[in-house]
Amino acid sequence: MASYSSSSDQKSDTLEAGNVEDCKVHVFKSSSELLEKLHEKWSKVEKQPYPAMYSSTYGGIILDPALMVIPIDDHMVHRGHGVFDTAIILNGFIYELDVHLNRFLRSASKAKISSPFPRSTLRSILVQLAAASQIKKGTLRYWLSAGPGNFLLTPAESSTPAFYAVVIDENFSQCKEGVKVITSTIPMKTPDFATMKNVNYLPNVLSKLEAEEKGAFASIWVDEEGYIAEGPNVNVAFITHDKELVVPFFDKILSGCTVLRLLELAPKLVEQGRLKGVKTTNLTVEEAKSSAEMMFVGSTLPVLPIIEWDEQPIGDGKVGELTMALSDLVWEDMVAGPTGTQRIAVPYI
């Protein structure tokens, strides 16, 4: 689960990453020896990024990063048979946990993964994990896996599905600077897989890398019919010149929890006369590129202005006023929205 930093001048008689000249492989003869090695590596990390993890295979919460591991024969690892979701922790509250948890279980059902616990227990574990982490701002990520047991395509009959979760100490703030995007050449997932939040993210990774290699923030997927789909791990939305908020249909893409909340909040701007309407519809590339404003929508953004697409400006090439008004609505909801529904107070010890 973690990456380690190591000193280049440290001498070792074991084969490590980057050490191609020495072929002598060390054999760890005891768990205590291995744990000592892991602790040695973690001691070089300046800031602990993962303060707490839950593992159903362990049966509890882990605070030692050296033990934050999952079995190599877990089917989520070697077959990608797993689903996940993410909620944010902001100012000591978990935002939209129930909405994310509902989507999580829908994804699990599509992936034919049963949960080892009822929904109420999963929720309780996540809240307790957040409390044990002592993190007031970060992300809460969790996975359901078909579980460990063998290296076949399907789990063994004796296998038990596994639930993992981790709190990540992650700083984020409201995005106010515009970014550049490109049209992705990486094939997007088919609707069955795109609408399920599963761990098979190689297309997403390649799409993001493609954009970064071209000096852009991320890519935009266009479906086979020529309609706008989504970004690599975010939804996309537009403001027309008629001042309508337009979001692509969710029939072929993931229905993001944040963009759904945005659609609930946006009518406030309609009431104020700033927006003329809010709708979901198909948009062609030509329609999308000719929009007045454009934005990514996702959990930690929550709204990210897009000012250039394929080296062409969106609107006047500046951060849009209505984009930031929508961003303010969601950010305010994250900071001070209804408690108990939108925000759950973490019971820190």
Side-chain angles (χ1 to χ4, degrees), residues 106-256:
R106 289 197 301 270
S107 295
S109 178
K110 289 183 179 181
K112 300 183 183 299
I113 301 172
S114 60
S115 172
F117 309 114
R119 182 191 183 282
S120 58
T121 301
L122 295 176
R123 188 181 190 274
S124 178
I125 289 171
L126 292 172
V127 173
Q128 291 180 62
L129 177 66
S133 76
Q134 295 296 308
I135 291 297
K136 302 297 193 298
K137 189 177 188 180
T139 54
L140 175 61
R141 301 188 180 225
Y142 40 99
W143 298 260
L144 268 177
S145 162
N150 62 33
F151 286 94
L152 302 178
L153 277 174
T154 57
E157 292 184 3
S158 59
S159 295
T160 300
F163 178 59
Y164 307 108
V166 64
V167 174
I168 304 173
D169 186 357
E170 186 174 0
N171 189 29
F172 52 86
S173 58
Q174 185 180 13
C175 297
K176 298 182 179 182
E177 300 294 325
V179 299
K180 302 175 182 180
V181 299
I182 63 168
T183 302
S184 180
T185 65
I186 306 299
M188 63 180 288
K189 298 175 185 176
T190 60
D192 283 346
F193 291 105
T195 56
M196 177 203 317
K197 199 170 177 68
N198 60 81
V199 299
N200 295 285
Y201 255 47
L202 185 56
N204 310 64
V205 171
L206 294 178
S207 177
K208 176 75 169 173
L209 287 174
E210 177 186 36
E212 293 176 349
E213 288 166 358
K214 295 182 178 180
F217 174 79
S219 299
I220 303 293
W221 266 315
V222 178
D223 70 24
E224 59 184 12
E225 297 180 80
Y227 294 124
I228 302 304
E230 59 185 342
N233 62 343
V234 283
N235 291 103
V236 62
F238 304 86
I239 302 292
T240 69
H241 288 280
D242 292 331
K243 295 190 176 181
E244 275 192 311
L245 170 65
V246 180
V247 175
F249 284 129
F250 300 114
D251 55 336
K252 298 179 181 179
I253 61 175
L254 189 70
S255 55

Side-chain angles (χ1 to χ4, degrees), residues 15-170:
L15 184 67
E16 295 186 354
N19 186 3
V20 296
E21 296 180 358
D22 188 350
C23 293
K24 182 176 177 58
V25 180
H26 183 77
V27 177
F28 291 96
K29 298 179 181 179
S30 68
S31 57
S32 59
E33 182 189 359
L34 176 59
L35 188 58
E36 181 181 356
K37 182 69 173 180
L38 289 171
H39 281 147
E40 176 188 336
K41 286 182 175 290
W42 271 107
S43 68
K44 298 164 188 168
V45 176
E46 293 183 5
K47 182 181 178 182
Q48 163 58 281
Y50 317 125
M53 174 190 174
Y54 174 84
S55 168
S56 64
T57 60
Y58 284 174
I61 293 171
I62 307 143
L63 303 180
D64 185 345
L67 297 176
M68 294 180 184
V69 296
I70 60 178
I72 190 64
D73 66 346
D74 190 300
H75 279 251
M76 185 170 71
V77 174
H78 66 85
R79 297 299 180 192
H81 195 178
V83 299
F84 78 102
D85 221 302
T86 305
I88 67 166
I89 303 171
L90 181 60
N91 299 339
F93 288 81
I94 307 175
Y95 183 64
E96 288 208 305
L97 175 60
D98 289 306
V99 175
H100 283 273
L101 194 52
N102 289 340
R103 182 177 65 180
F104 179 61
L105 292 173
R106 289 197 301 270
S107 295
S109 178
K110 289 183 179 181
K112 300 183 183 299
I113 301 172
S114 60
S115 172
F117 309 114
R119 182 191 183 282
S120 58
T121 301
L122 295 176
R123 188 181 190 274
S124 178
I125 289 171
L126 292 172
V127 173
Q128 291 180 62
L129 177 66
S133 76
Q134 295 296 308
I135 291 297
K136 302 297 193 298
K137 189 177 188 180
T139 54
L140 175 61
R141 301 188 180 225
Y142 40 99
W143 298 260
L144 268 177
S145 162
N150 62 33
F151 286 94
L152 302 178
L153 277 174
T154 57
E157 292 184 3
S158 59
S159 295
T160 300
F163 178 59
Y164 307 108
V166 64
V167 174
I168 304 173
D169 186 357
E170 186 174 0

Side-chain angles (χ1 to χ4, degrees), residues 302-319:
V303 174
L304 175 60
I306 297 172
I307 58 174
E308 183 181 298
W309 185 356
D310 290 337
E311 300 184 344
Q312 298 297 319
I314 296 296
D316 61 5
K318 299 178 181 178
V319 173

